[in-house]
Amino acid sequence: MSTRTSIPFSRRAFLKSSSLASGGLLIGFNLFTACKPKAVESPMDLSSLDYQDFNAFIKIAKNGAVTIFSPNPEIGQGVKTSMPMIIAEELDVAWDMVHVEQGILDTQNYTRQVAGGSQSIRFGWDALRTTGATAKQMLINAAAARWGVEASECTVSEGVITNAKGDTLGYGDLVEEAAKLETPEEVTLKEPKDYKIIGTGKVNVDIDEIVTGKPLFGLDYKTEGMVYASVMRPPAFGQKLESFDATEAKAMPNVVDVIQVGDKIAVLAKDTWSAMKAKKALKAEWKADTKLESSEDHDRILKGLLNGNKFETLRADGNVQKAFAEADNVLERTYESPFLPHNCMEPMNFFAHVTDEKIHLVGPIQTPEGTAGRIAEMLERDANDVHLEMTRQGGGFGRRLYGDFAIEAAEISNKARLPVKVVFSREDDMADGIYRPAIKYRIKASVKDGQITGYHLKEAAINSNMYGLIPNFFPAGAIENYQVDVAKYDSNITTGAWRAPYTNFLAYAEQSFFDELFEMMEVDKIQMRLDLLEKVKGTTDERIQYSPERMQEVIKTAVEKSGWGKQADGVYQGFVAYYCHNSHVAEVADVQIEGGMPVVKKVTCVVDCGIVVNTLGALNQAEGGVIDGIGHAMYGQFGFDSGMPTATNYDKYRLIRMQEAPKVTAHFIQNEYSPTGLGEPTLPPAGGAVANAFKAATGKRIYKQPFMENPEFWRLSDQPILG
C-alpha cells in the first residue's frame, strides 16, 4: 500500500512562483536538443525542420527537436502543461527543452477532443503515458539495433540512450531508424517513485505569450479579407424577429453588409467597433411567440414542483416515509439558487469561412468535434469538408461546450460568402447566454434513537437534465432509508453546464443541512461525518462512486491543517466535505466579524485527486475553485424580467472583488491513485463552508443564494456596510 502525506502550498508562494492555466487533451512540444548530450540555451526555428512521425502525437526531427500535438481544447484548466508533462515523463526528456503545440480537430487520430467535466487528465492518463513510453522504446530499439546489442542493455536519461559500454546516442540521432520500426505491442511504464517531472511544479507553457500579448486566443485571430460580425439577437427569450430597418446602419463607415440569419441580424464591418456601433443603429421589431418568463414565474413554478408529486425517482433505498413516521425528530429545509451567467473573461467569438471547397473554422470551443458535426449537418456538407483549428480560450466553465456562436459564424459566412468572425460584446455574452439553471432543493431527514434513519432529497429545476450522478454521491449508502427525487420545468430560457454542474449549489444545500441536522442531534459535526462514512466501508453497491476511506482522510487532514476547534477567540469556522468529479475535498472557512459583518478571512482546502501531475497547476485550480465558489455563493444574483436578463454587464452583476478574496491554503493528499478531476471539485464545497462559518459567527442560517443579496440580514451592529 502506498504511503500518503499532504503537500502544503501557500497562496503567497503560489503568487510568487506564477500561475498555470490551460486545458486541452494531448500535447505538442519540442524537445529541442535535450535529445542530445548538449542542450541549446534558446529555442530554434522549428518551421523548416524535417520531422518523422512516431504517431499522431509525437514528431522528432533529426536535430532532436520533438513536437507533440495537443488535440484537446485549452480553456484554462492546466492540461496544456500537465499533459505534456505526462508524455515527457515517459518519453524521458528534459522538461526545459519541451515546447507545446495545439493540435487541430482530427477525428481519425484523436478521441475525446473535449474540455469538460474535469476529465481530461483522468481519461488521458494511461494513453498519454503509453504514448511517451512507446516512442521511447522505439528509439531504444533503434539504438540497440545500431549497436548490435539487446534493447534491455540500454538505458535512457533526458533523451540520451546509453549502452553497457558507455556509448551514447541522442534521440535526434535515431529518428529516421526508429520511425521505420514496428510499434511495440507492450511497453513498461514508470513507477511513481521514479517520476522526475510528474509531481513537480511547472509554469504554464503559454505564459510568455499571455504576458506579452502575443496571439493565442480566439479574439486574436485574423486573416486576409476577414470581416467582423456584430449580431443583434432577440432581446428577450421567447421573442422572434418581425421586421427590421438597416438603412442607417448600412450607411455608416466601414460597414460591409447587413444580413438576416433566422431571427438574428448580423452587421458585417471591417472592424469590431464599426460593427458594434452600426448594430446600435439597427431598428428592429420583435414579437413574442410564447410566454415571456420572469424570475417570479420560476420561483412560483419551482415551489409548486417541490410541493407536488410529479417526480422522477433516481434512487430509493429502504422506506423513507416509514422512517419519517417512526422518527423521534424530523428536520426539513428548502434551499434556493438563481440562474447564473458564465462571464468568461474572453467573450464568445468564432471565425468561419465557408466556401465550396471547405468549411474553415477557427476559435475557442470546448467541443470541437460535436460543433463541427453540427455545422456540417446545418450546411448539408460532408464532415470531411470541415477543418477546425482550436485557439486558447479565455475561460470556458461550460459555456463553450455548446458551440452556438460557432454555428452562428458559419451560418453568416455561408450566407455572406465571406470570411467572418463573430464577436460578442459583454452585453451580448450575458444577454444571450446558456445559464446555470435556477434550482430549489428540499431536504428532509429523520432521527431515531440518536441515529439518522431517513434522508429524502427533492430537486426542482429549470430544464434540469444533468442530475444522473447526484443520487450516488454521499450520503448514498450511509443511510438505510435514502431517496432522491427530481422534477423539472421546461423553459425557453437556455440553460446548461456551469462550472461543476448542479453540485455547485447542491454541495452548499446538503452540507449546510448536515450542519443544522448535527446541531439538532447535538453530536460532533466531524465525528458524525466519519461515522456515516464508516457505514459505507465494504459496500458491494457498485452505484456508490465515492471512497469512504479517501473521504475520511481528507476530513482528518482538513481538521489538522485548519486547526479546527483551536482557533483564537473571534475566529469562527465552518466545515464541509464533498465528493464530485471523481475527487474528494474537505474545506474549512475561517470567518471574523469586521464592522459588524462576517468576513471570510481564510479557507483551508484539502484535496485527494490522486497523483498530482503539476503542483503549480493543481494549486491554481484549487485556489481558483474556492474563490469562484465563494464569490458566486455570496454575490451572484441573476434572473429574468419578461424574458430579459436582469443584468447585462458588471454594473448590475456582482462578482467577488480582489480585496474580498480570502487567503486559501491548499493541501493535496499524496498517493499513487490515478489522477482524477481538479478543475471543478473545490468549487462546490466553498459555499457550504462559508455558510456554516457564517452561522457560527452570527447564529443565523440562510437558505438562499446569494448570501449577500440582503447584507442587512448579517449585520450585527449599527456600523455602515462598506460597498
Side-chain angles (χ1 to χ4, degrees):
M1 183 175 179
S2 61
T3 57
R4 308 181 192 179
T5 59
S6 64
I7 307 171
F9 293 104
S10 72
R11 178 177 174 82
R12 183 183 300 273
F14 167 68
L15 292 174
K16 277 186 176 181
S17 58
S18 150
S19 64
L20 192 192
S22 26
L25 224 171
L26 278 285
I27 305 314
F29 42 64
N30 281 285
L31 307 174
F32 306 120
T33 49
C35 306
K36 294 188 175 184
K38 281 190 175 182
V40 295
E41 295 182 356
S42 59
M44 62 186 70
D45 180 9
L46 307 176
S47 60
S48 60
L49 295 181
D50 181 18
Y51 285 95
Q52 294 283 341
D53 291 348
F54 270 91
N55 51 45
F57 308 115
I58 300 175
K59 294 184 178 182
I60 300 182
K62 290 182 180 180
N63 71 337
V66 179
T67 298
I68 301 180
F69 294 93
S70 168
N72 272 38
E74 165 56 70
I75 62 171
Q77 78 276 41
V79 297
K80 193 176 179 182
T81 302
S82 56
M83 284 186 163
M85 290 173 67
I86 297 170
I87 297 180
E89 181 69 74
E90 293 291 351
L91 189 58
D92 216 328
V93 293
W95 178 252
D96 59 3
M97 292 295 113
V98 167
H99 175 75
V100 178
E101 294 285 340
Q102 176 67 59
I104 64 171
L105 174 64
D106 183 352
T107 58
Q108 298 299 314
N109 291 304
Y110 304 130
T111 60
R112 201 185 181 276
Q113 287 187 271
V114 174
S118 298
Q119 299 297 297
S120 292
I121 293 293
R122 177 171 174 252
F123 279 110
W125 174 246
D126 290 333
L128 291 167
R129 289 191 298 156
T130 302
T131 294
T134 299
K136 179 177 72 174
Q137 189 61 53
M138 292 172 71
L139 289 157
I140 292 173
N141 292 347
R146 183 187 291 192
W147 286 322
V149 301
E150 293 294 325
S152 59
E153 299 177 22
C154 302
T155 59
V156 181
S157 178
E158 296 192 343
V160 178
I161 303 171
T162 305
N163 65 21
K165 295 180 181 180
D167 300 325
T168 62
L169 286 169
Y171 281 177
D173 300 321
L174 298 160
V175 58
E176 289 187 355
E177 297 159 67
K180 297 174 184 177
L181 298 178
E182 291 187 6
T183 302
E185 294 184 3
E186 294 184 356
V187 293
T188 301
L189 301 177
K190 286 185 178 182
E191 295 292 329
K193 63 181 178 62
D194 297 322
Y195 290 158
K196 299 176 182 178
I197 297 174
I198 293 173
T200 63
K202 304 301 181 186
V203 175
N204 182 347
V205 295
D206 285 337
I207 193 64
D208 289 342
E209 288 80 2
I210 293 171
V211 170
T212 57
K214 292 180 181 177
L216 273 177
F217 299 89
L219 283 174
D220 297 323
Y221 183 79
K222 296 179 181 179
T223 190
E224 186 176 353
M226 184 181 80
V227 298
Y228 295 84
S230 184
V231 182
M232 176 178 281
R233 304 169 182 88
F237 286 90
Q239 285 186 332
K240 299 291 185 183
L241 179 63
E242 191 167 44
S243 64
F244 72 97
D245 181 355
T247 304
E248 184 179 342
K250 287 182 176 181
M252 296 178 72
N254 295 321
V255 171
V256 174
D257 200 359
V258 177
I259 62 175
Q260 179 181 350
V261 180
D263 286 301
K264 304 172 184 178
I265 311 162
V267 176
L268 309 183
K270 296 179 181 179
D271 56 79
T272 52
W273 173 245
S274 297
M276 291 179 177
K277 188 176 179 181
K279 183 178 71 173
K280 294 181 179 179
L282 292 171
K283 297 177 175 61
E285 297 292 331
W286 309 90
K287 64 178 180 180
D289 66 345
T290 185
K291 178 178 173 56
L292 303 182
E293 301 172 9
S294 298
S295 291
E296 290 78 8
D297 301 319
H298 299 140
D299 183 64
R300 172 179 49 79
I301 290 167
L302 293 182
K303 286 179 179 177
L305 288 174
L306 283 181
N307 294 329
N309 55 11
K310 295 182 179 180
F311 288 95
E312 177 187 354
T313 297
L314 301 184
R315 179 167 177 149
D317 300 343
N319 187 331
V320 294
Q321 299 306 322
K322 186 172 183 291
F324 295 146
E326 296 175 352
D328 296 330
N329 291 292
V330 173
L331 180 68
E332 181 177 272
R333 293 289 184 262
T334 299
Y335 301 86
E336 305 173 63
S337 69
F339 288 89
L340 286 180
H342 290 83
N343 289 95
C344 304
M345 183 175 290
E346 177 191 21
M348 301 303 107
N349 66 90
F350 219 80
F351 168 84
H353 189 193
V354 180
T355 65
D356 293 338
E357 290 73 34
K358 71 174 183 178
I359 302 168
H360 186 198
L361 306 171
V362 184
I365 184 69
Q366 290 181 243
T367 51
E369 182 177 356
T371 299
R374 290 172 63 193
I375 289 173
E377 182 179 359
M378 176 191 69
L379 298 178
E380 298 182 343
R381 297 281 291 271
D382 190 288
N384 293 326
D385 290 348
V386 180
H387 174 81
L388 191 151
E389 301 171 30
M390 291 169 280
T391 62
R392 189 179 179 95
Q393 302 173 49
F397 312 117
R399 176 62 182 92
R400 288 188 160 99
L401 287 170
Y402 300 97
D404 50 293
F405 45 92
I407 294 169
E408 188 175 80
E411 195 172 13
I412 294 169
S413 175
N414 183 56
K415 190 164 186 176
R417 307 309 286 181
L418 290 170
V420 173
K421 183 156 91 170
V422 168
V423 178
F424 283 44
S425 66
R426 178 59 62 194
E427 288 80 5
D428 294 334
D429 206 52
M430 291 183 69
D432 194 60
I434 295 178
Y435 310 95
R436 182 187 84 169
I439 297 179
K440 296 186 191 299
Y441 288 112
R442 182 167 294 165
I443 308 176
K444 187 176 182 180
S446 58
V447 177
K448 177 73 173 178
D449 298 329
Q451 298 295 316
I452 302 173
T453 58
Y455 187 91
H456 192 184
L457 170 66
K458 292 182 179 180
E459 175 191 271
I462 303 295
N463 299 334
S464 181
N465 60 358
M466 301 167 63
Y467 40 53
L469 296 178
I470 291 173
N472 301 315
F473 289 179
F474 183 80
I479 300 172
E480 182 178 359
N481 303 293
Y482 172 82
Q483 185 167 326
V484 177
D485 292 334
V486 295
K488 68 173 181 174
Y489 167 71
D490 293 324
S491 170
N492 55 28
I493 294 171
T494 51
T495 62
W498 187 96
R499 191 176 185 181
Y502 289 85
T503 59
N504 57 60
F505 174 59
L506 177 61
Y508 148 71
E510 285 197 308
Q511 292 295 314
S512 184
F513 179 83
F514 277 130
D515 215 57
E516 187 170 359
L517 178 64
F518 298 158
E519 286 179 359
M520 184 188 79
M521 295 171 66
E522 298 182 341
V523 296
D524 184 276
K525 298 173 183 178
I526 304 298
Q527 190 58 51
M528 192 64 189
R529 285 178 168 88
L530 296 173
D531 290 347
L532 286 170
L533 288 164
E534 198 68 27
K535 296 180 180 181
V536 190
K537 291 182 178 178
T539 181
T540 58
D541 187 347
E542 295 182 354
R543 296 173 297 173
I544 302 298
Q545 298 184 15
Y546 63 91
S547 163
E549 293 85 359
R550 296 173 76 174
M551 184 66 84
Q552 285 180 330
E553 185 168 14
V554 296
I555 289 174
K556 293 175 182 177
T557 306
V559 167
E560 173 194 350
K561 298 298 181 182
S562 68
W564 175 260
K566 301 176 182 178
Q567 296 297 313
D569 290 345
V571 177
Y572 305 90
Q573 294 185 306
F575 185 90
V576 165
Y578 202 70
Y579 167 90
C580 67
H581 298 85
N582 311 104
S583 295
H584 302 76
V585 178
E587 294 179 15
V588 177
D590 290 6
V591 166
Q592 297 179 29
I593 301 298
E594 294 182 355
M597 293 289 291
V599 177
V600 185
K601 305 296 289 185
K602 177 183 176 182
V603 175
T604 303
C605 176
V606 177
V607 184
D608 181 351
C609 59
I611 293 172
V612 177
V613 176
N614 183 355
T615 55
L616 275 178
L619 176 61
N620 185 38
Q621 293 304 298
E623 275 199 333
V626 169
I627 294 172
D628 200 14
I630 292 173
H632 287 94
M634 291 184 65
Y635 306 111
Q637 179 62 285
F638 190 84
F640 294 87
D641 184 5
S642 297
M644 299 179 67
T646 55
T648 57
N649 214 317
Y650 297 126
D651 58 334
K652 293 183 179 179
Y653 182 72
R654 176 84 152 84
L655 292 172
I656 192 170
R657 297 166 183 169
M658 291 185 69
Q659 68 268 26
E660 294 165 339
K663 176 183 179 181
V664 180
T665 303
H667 303 265
F668 294 88
I669 301 297
Q670 189 176 45
N671 54 46
E672 295 182 3
Y673 293 115
S674 296
T676 53
L678 190 53
E680 295 165 285
T682 65
L683 184 149
V690 169
N692 291 339
F694 275 23
K695 166 57 171 62
T698 68
K700 301 176 181 180
R701 286 206 178 274
I702 193 166
Y703 303 96
K704 184 177 182 179
Q705 290 188 358
F707 304 155
M708 303 307 291
E709 180 182 10
N710 177 20
E712 290 291 340
F713 175 86
W714 298 107
R715 190 161 68 165
L716 302 179
S717 74
D718 293 331
Q719 297 185 45
I721 298 171
L722 301 179

